[in-house]
Amino acid sequence: MMDRAIKVEFRRGAFLSELDLWLDPHDRKPEAFVSHAHADHVAPHQTAICSATTKLFVEKRFGRRGELMGYEFGKAFDYKDHRVELIPAGHILGSAQIHLDGENGSLLYTGDFKLRTGVASEATEAKHADTLIMETTYGIPKYRLPPNEEVVEDMVRFVRESLEEGTTPMLAAYSLGKAQEVMMALGRRAPELQFLLHPSAAKMSRIYREIGYALPPYQSLEPGSRFEGQVVIAPPNAIRSQQLRKVKNRTTAMISGWGIDPSARFRYQVDHVFPLSDHADYDDLLRYVEMVQPQRILTLHGYADEFSADLRARGWEAWSLTGENQLELFGAAPSTANPQTTLTQNGDSLRALHHSEFRNFAEIGEAIAATTGKLKKVELLADYFSHLDLDALPFAVVFLSGKPFERTDQHKSLSVGWAITRRALLEATNRTEAEYRQIAQGQGDSGRAAFLLLEGKTQPASFSLRQIRDHFEELAAARGPVAKAKLLSSLLCELHPLEGKYLVKLLSGDLRIGLKEGLIEEAISLAFDAPVAKVRRAHMLTGKIGQTATLAKSGQLEAAKVTPFVPIKVMLASPEETADGIWKRLGESGQVWLEDKFDGIRAQLHKSGSEVQLFSRDLRPLHAEFHELLDPARELRDDVIFDGEIIAYAEGKKLTFFDLQKRLGRLNDSDLFLGASVPVRFIAFDLLWLNGEGLLDRPLEERRKLLESVDVAEPFEVCSVRQAGSETEIEAEFKAARQRDNEGLIAKDPLSGYSPGLRGLSWLKLKKPMATLDCVVVKVEQGHGKRNHVLSDYTFAVRDTNSGELVVIGKAYTGLTDKEIEDLTEHFQEHTLSKSRRSQTVEPNVVLEIAFDSINPSKRHNSGLAMRFPRIKAIRHDKTIEEIDTLAFARKLAGLQG
């Protein structure tokens, strides 16, 4: 029971009568606390308490206004028999909360605040108080904002797309706080951006720099300013000013938490709204109450009535200062419930469920998603793995790779799309379509939408990871959307909302917690004290990350062996530009082995008994496209795993990859391109497994002898090997290979083992000198004229190995047939990340071989390069994003260093 409390009144503002102190009043008062320097919070009070930084902003922005008493954060001072301390609020730079402690208890007033850490303000702090007066702008469940990182990524994409399209992006953000937050966030992700600030924002930014904040370079918007290539940041009213409206090619965006509303774009009359806010959202408001642990809560602004009612339903004593429930609050009735038991999903009240393995899995997922450093992610994972038993470990590892099943379980498909998941969520929660739209719209993440829909609607039970895997098996076996939705709905009813979130993430194959396969391998290594190279090798050989973890925990990584029908990553050759370079690297023994480099599809052929399968270099099954190779392979006397090349071959001559690629994706015998139209051969150049024995560690010369001992007949042949004893002989063989219509040569060290997935220096490739690059498509645009109905213009990128980022190098729209364009249009529609007018940003999973006349330095693209007359030579269905060319290689072709 509260036997004492600081008296709080509301008279067009919060008023503490025993201190004669007003809190953020809009009108002039004798004594007031000013939480921050936004204009609507600053009045010419006779005396005002504020932070030292707010005092600086007010004086430079408005001039002297009465007596400003600026205090440093965390340094307590006495004020009218009360101990007073200002603590950061995180709203904007210098924004403060005020904490008072006196005979009648303690009080904390938040002012405008947020919990999410910004880059242009101090981090928020919390301190216990008996009474909490809090701002509740976003005080209803609808306002759960997406993570800042996702919003900033979307903003970066919007800005870059606008600039690439020759338009000027204009961002509406308030001059103090939001403008600097946006500029710093964008500058950290995209340092190449150039900013043009409205004079009011430029003035505030200069103060940020005086205080010591490292803002990106910017210019102040003046009459005659050039807009080309600039990112304009201006207050919302200035975006609609005559000066900015005159800019012909412009795209506009509002930066506001209200952007979570689907109608926000129309209300603000802009092209896009990004929900980046400097106020606490609903979840953070709840979390802050738990952090402060007050006996009484008074709400202000926004959804004050709704949030106070929400808190009362959760067991807190809470009242709206501005509502009809209270005009004066003093010594209110005590609460009969313990609020700590019901307030938050992360509180002690939910710890009882932690014996659920799947709940623990979901919590580790949340922890990893909230962790930025790779090393910390690995340490978190390793600790989690080390505490799992052998039954749970493989399922946890597989799920954390973002999949319900192991990669090699290719026959298992859930076939559960968002339509089925949505139907199951509605059935499980008994929500209406209208509720679904209100809750889920604007989230941009299926798992997060599921969490919000399930919250308060389920009866959680305990689930092991094996049980969840069993449910996946049932879903895969179920036939038809109705049966699948019913099974999924039954499961969701028994999951905690956080578990439901991760179940839906696994169903969609989109975990999005910042994990890559390599980090999981490193975590397995750390958890079980095993060399990471051995972990990666075992994973490559087994094809199963869960089994690899089990072997590591059992100390049996050496038991991983090459196994038929488990494809392994192919060994790759490093590019070398000259015969002299090859001789210098490989000629130490006096001889270099040379093989023709074919213009075909790299493939592995696995044969054991009567079973035969083909796999591409990215481990995709190829036996459906090239089924005529299967029956002849069954006639082989030996059981083998060949590494080789599938080439198109007709009328006694090799055809090109352009001819061969027509076979990819064609799955039935009646297809025009199958059979006699484009016959194929398999040319084997290495042997990885023979009659039960793995050969990876054998030197090439031994593998070669064994390969030649295998009796093969058409359509199979063994690649011929030529030996060269000098760079002159290498050059002669290169010319001969060109005359045989091959791309060039592969030079090999005869003593080299087979290193799966690695591009070392034991194999080198000397290609024919033609100007092509393998690039990945990152954006597509609607065509013109007769191609107006398809996506026919492709923007493509190469890999910057220094940053790991994809950087744009060109755009092309010629070289493909109408059928290929239609097929790609269908593919890109299913793999679109975002849309803006006629263009779509797409998942980078289509590799094109691009021919061009030259490459030149250019500021047009973020690679710093541009192709002259680019055209599409081929769709490289056989290659993945991991195998595209690099920025460094493109710079070499452009004659640039580094």
Side-chain angles (χ1 to χ4, degrees):
M1 178 176 178
M2 287 187 65
D3 55 1
R4 58 186 188 134
I6 295 177
K7 187 175 181 180
V8 181
E9 302 175 26
F10 187 78
R11 306 175 185 173
R12 294 187 65 219
F15 179 58
L16 310 181
S17 56
E18 63 192 77
L19 287 88
D20 198 25
L21 181 69
W22 293 83
L23 304 177
D24 274 331
H26 295 294
D27 305 322
R28 173 183 169 87
K29 301 295 180 184
E31 297 174 273
F33 166 67
V34 175
S35 64
H36 63 282
H38 278 158
D40 58 340
H41 284 254
V42 177
H45 309 301
Q46 291 180 13
T47 301
I49 296 171
C50 62
S51 73
T53 301
T54 294
K55 177 182 178 182
L56 176 64
F57 275 119
V58 171
E59 290 177 345
K60 287 186 176 288
R61 194 177 190 188
F62 306 106
R64 293 189 60 84
R65 290 194 166 195
E67 183 182 1
L68 290 174
M69 303 168 62
Y71 294 94
E72 299 294 335
F73 286 130
K75 293 184 178 180
F77 57 95
D78 293 324
Y79 185 83
K80 297 183 178 179
D81 298 324
H82 285 73
R83 195 67 174 161
V84 180
E85 183 182 350
L86 303 188
I87 57 179
H91 176 61
I92 65 170
L93 185 61
S95 61
Q97 306 172 78
I98 187 169
H99 186 275
L100 305 104
D101 201 348
E103 287 186 1
N104 287 326
S106 57
L107 179 145
L108 177 65
Y109 167 65
T110 66
D112 292 345
F113 79 106
K114 72 172 185 293
L115 290 190
R116 299 179 184 211
T117 303
V119 295
S121 62
E122 302 90 349
T124 313
E125 297 178 13
K127 188 170 183 175
H128 169 72
D130 301 319
T131 298
L132 171 63
I133 306 176
M134 66 186 306
E135 171 247 342
T136 54
T137 297
Y138 295 129
I140 58 175
K142 174 180 178 180
Y143 292 104
R144 286 169 157 125
L145 301 176
N148 282 3
E149 295 79 9
E150 292 181 13
V151 179
V152 173
E153 286 296 337
D154 288 342
M155 290 169 58
V156 170
R157 192 179 300 115
F158 170 82
V159 167
R160 281 177 169 167
E161 283 182 353
S162 299
L163 294 172
E164 288 173 9
E165 293 170 1
T167 62
T168 299
M170 297 185 178
L171 307 179
Y174 293 107
S175 297
L176 173 57
K178 187 67 70 66
Q180 293 75 30
E181 180 77 20
V182 169
M183 183 166 53
M184 291 182 69
L186 292 179
R188 290 186 178 189
R189 301 292 180 91
E192 79 278 4
L193 297 179
Q194 301 176 44
F195 295 96
L196 188 62
L197 302 188
H198 186 271
S200 61
K203 180 180 179 181
M204 294 299 99
S205 296
R206 286 192 289 272
I207 302 174
Y208 269 73
R209 284 186 169 170
E210 289 177 19
I211 294 172
Y213 277 73
L215 271 63
Y218 64 86
Q219 295 179 345
S220 180
L221 175 63
E222 305 294 344
S225 291
R226 292 179 59 86
F227 291 92
E228 294 83 0
Q230 303 281 343
V231 179
V232 177
I233 300 179
N237 60 339
I239 291 291
R240 294 184 285 273
S241 68
Q242 186 176 10
Q243 180 187 15
L244 296 184
R245 285 206 313 270
K246 285 182 178 179
V247 180
K248 292 182 179 179
N249 297 319
R250 71 176 195 158
T251 52
T252 57
M254 180 70 182
I255 317 298
S256 170
W258 301 112
I260 201 75
D261 287 324
S263 62
R265 182 166 64 91
F266 305 102
R267 184 167 70 250
Y268 291 121
Q269 297 182 351
V270 291
D271 297 310
H272 203 92
V273 180
F274 295 103
L276 186 74
S277 180
D278 45 22
H279 294 267
D281 73 351
Y282 175 78
D283 286 336
D284 281 348
L285 291 174
L286 291 177
R287 188 156 65 95
Y288 199 64
V289 172
E290 182 194 8
M291 293 166 69
V292 175
Q293 286 295 306
Q295 297 181 48
R296 177 178 63 165
I297 303 155
L298 308 178
T299 58
L300 271 173
H301 308 309
Y303 292 95
D305 290 348
E306 292 86 346
F307 191 68
S308 62
D310 190 337
L311 290 178
R312 288 195 297 275
R314 296 168 181 265
W316 295 90
E317 180 191 322
W319 307 98
S320 167
L321 265 180
T322 54
E324 296 180 358
N325 52 51
Q326 291 289 323
L327 292 178
E328 180 178 314
L329 298 163
F330 177 60
S335 170
T336 58
N338 179 4
Q340 190 174 2
T341 63
T342 56
L343 182 62
T344 174
Q345 68 187 40
N346 296 318
D348 292 339
S349 62
L350 297 178
R351 294 293 173 186
L353 284 177
H354 282 201
H355 63 278
S356 170
E357 281 183 353
F358 192 48
R359 175 69 185 279
N360 290 338
F361 167 83
E363 288 185 341
I364 196 67
E366 290 289 273
I368 291 167
T371 303
T372 54
K374 291 182 179 179
L375 182 59
K376 290 182 179 179
K377 287 180 187 285
V378 169
E379 290 173 347
L380 272 173
L381 270 182
D383 181 66
Y384 174 58
F385 291 161
S386 66
H387 289 88
L388 293 174
D389 60 34
L390 278 172
D391 183 67
L393 177 62
F395 303 120
V397 174
V398 172
F399 293 168
L400 283 166
S401 71
K403 305 177 184 69
F405 302 118
E406 289 275 20
R407 172 172 55 83
T408 52
D409 294 335
Q410 296 161 343
H411 62 287
K412 295 177 181 177
S413 174
L414 289 173
S415 299
V416 176
W418 180 243
I420 292 175
T421 304
R422 175 173 163 273
R423 179 175 180 173
L425 284 166
L426 290 176
E427 290 180 4
T429 60
N430 201 27
R431 292 187 184 274
T432 65
E433 290 278 356
E435 286 179 300
Y436 164 80
R437 287 192 296 272
Q438 182 185 31
I439 294 172
Q441 281 183 356
Q443 293 305 319
D445 179 89
S446 59
R448 182 173 173 78
F451 176 89
L452 299 179
L453 288 162
L454 293 169
E455 196 171 29
K457 295 288 187 177
T458 65
Q459 297 294 323
S462 177
F463 283 90
S464 70
L465 294 176
R466 179 177 286 278
Q467 287 175 311
I468 295 298
R469 165 58 187 264
D470 290 343
H471 280 287
F472 286 143
E473 295 276 6
E474 290 180 13
L475 279 169
R479 293 292 174 262
V482 174
K484 289 180 183 289
K486 185 176 181 180
L487 281 172
L488 183 55
S489 173
S490 298
L491 175 58
L492 289 168
C493 286
E494 297 185 300
L495 293 180
H496 183 273
L498 188 62
E499 294 174 302
K501 172 181 180 178
Y502 276 83
L503 184 83
V504 169
K505 281 176 172 287
L506 288 170
L507 291 173
S508 66
D510 191 13
L511 207 56
R512 295 177 69 178
I513 59 174
L515 273 187
K516 293 184 178 180
E517 201 170 71
L519 294 185
I520 296 176
E521 292 171 334
E522 290 179 29
I524 293 171
S525 168
L526 181 62
F528 306 117
D529 195 23
V532 69
K534 288 188 176 182
V535 172
R536 287 180 173 144
R537 179 181 174 85
H539 181 203
M540 179 271 300
L541 292 175
T542 63
K544 297 183 177 182
I545 189 69
Q547 181 183 345
T548 300
T550 300
L551 290 174
K553 186 177 179 70
S554 305
Q556 297 178 344
L557 287 172
E558 300 293 344
K561 303 292 183 185
V562 179
T563 305
F565 315 116
V566 177
I568 63 175
K569 295 178 181 179
V570 299
M571 183 171 177
L572 302 170
S574 297
E576 182 54 65
E577 298 178 0
T578 65
D580 176 59
I582 287 178
W583 182 251
K584 286 180 178 177
R585 289 189 180 275
L586 299 181
E588 186 176 341
S589 64
Q591 279 193 335
V592 174
W593 283 19
L594 302 175
E595 300 171 4
D596 282 8
K597 187 180 189 310
F598 302 104
D599 191 13
I601 294 174
R602 184 79 174 271
Q604 287 175 37
L605 184 137
H606 292 230
K607 185 263 180 183
S608 180
S610 61
E611 186 175 357
V612 177
Q613 292 184 20
L614 276 169
F615 300 95
S616 66
R617 66 194 299 163
D618 61 348
L619 314 184
R620 183 177 64 85
L622 286 175
H623 18 285
E625 288 104 324
F626 300 103
H627 64 91
E628 72 267 41
L629 293 174
L630 305 185
D631 284 339
R634 292 186 181 97
E635 300 301 320
L636 293 174
R637 180 188 60 201
D638 296 294
D639 292 337
V640 297
I641 297 179
F642 285 148
D643 185 9
E645 198 95 3
I646 299 174
I647 64 168
Y649 195 91
E651 298 179 0
K653 59 181 274 185
K654 289 186 288 292
L655 304 180
T656 66
F657 180 81
F658 177 77
D659 299 293
L660 184 62
Q661 72 169 344
K662 300 172 184 177
R663 295 291 302 272
L664 296 174
R666 313 290 180 171
L667 303 181
N668 62 70
D669 293 335
S670 62
D671 196 290
L672 171 65
F673 295 115
L674 282 178
S677 297
V678 186
V680 297
R681 287 186 176 184
F682 187 98
I683 301 178
F685 51 70
D686 216 326
L687 185 63
L688 312 184
W689 181 87
L690 177 64
N691 297 325
E693 183 180 2
L695 306 175
L696 299 186
D697 297 325
R698 300 274 196 99
L700 174 60
E701 57 186 6
E702 288 188 28
R703 302 198 306 274
R704 178 71 195 192
K705 287 179 182 178
L706 293 170
L707 175 61
E708 291 174 348
S709 72
V710 177
D711 187 16
V712 299
E714 287 191 6
F716 297 95
E717 63 180 83
V718 174
C719 174
S720 61
V721 172
R722 297 169 180 84
Q723 298 183 1
S726 67
E727 63 179 277
T728 303
E729 292 180 13
I730 295 174
E731 184 64 37
E733 288 295 340
F734 173 75
K735 292 177 180 178
R738 289 285 306 278
Q739 290 173 354
R740 292 188 289 270
D741 294 325
N742 290 318
E743 287 190 333
L745 291 175
I746 300 291
K748 298 181 178 180
D749 178 356
L751 300 179
S752 61
Y754 193 94
S755 302
L758 298 182
R759 192 187 296 277
L761 298 178
S762 297
W763 291 10
L764 302 173
K765 61 182 176 182
L766 182 60
K767 290 182 66 172
K768 57 185 179 182
M770 63 178 298
T772 67
L773 282 177
D774 290 331
C775 307
V776 68
V777 179
V778 293
K779 189 171 74 172
V780 296
E781 295 178 47
Q782 195 172 336
H784 300 273
K786 70 173 185 177
R787 290 184 172 175
N788 187 58
H789 67 292
V790 293
L791 300 169
S792 62
D793 297 7
Y794 310 118
T795 299
F796 40 81
V798 292
R799 175 80 67 190
D800 182 349
T801 52
N802 291 329
S803 67
E805 301 290 328
L806 296 174
V807 290
V808 172
I809 196 170
K811 176 179 176 181
Y813 49 87
T814 60
L816 298 181
T817 66
D818 289 344
K819 181 63 169 63
E820 288 172 326
I821 291 172
E822 289 174 4
D823 290 344
L824 284 180
T825 297
E826 183 176 349
H827 173 87
F828 288 132
Q829 296 287 22
E830 295 175 357
H831 294 82
T832 293
L833 299 175
S834 64
K835 294 183 179 181
S836 62
R837 297 195 304 279
R838 294 176 64 89
S839 67
Q840 298 173 206
T841 301
V842 297
E843 295 177 21
N845 56 19
V846 172
V847 177
L848 301 178
E849 184 178 6
I850 305 296
F852 52 92
D853 287 357
S854 63
I855 303 180
N856 302 302
S858 171
K859 293 183 179 179
R860 183 178 179 185
H861 306 304
N862 62 347
S863 64
L865 301 173
M867 293 178 170
R868 180 175 172 81
F869 302 131
R871 56 267 188 200
I872 302 168
K873 183 174 181 243
I875 307 170
R876 295 309 302 256
H877 294 286
D878 61 319
K879 290 196 173 183
T880 68
I881 188 176
E882 310 299 332
E883 299 170 272
I884 64 174
D885 282 309
T886 65
L887 177 60
F889 182 58
R891 287 178 60 82
K892 280 188 178 181
L893 294 181
L896 302 174
Q897 297 297 318

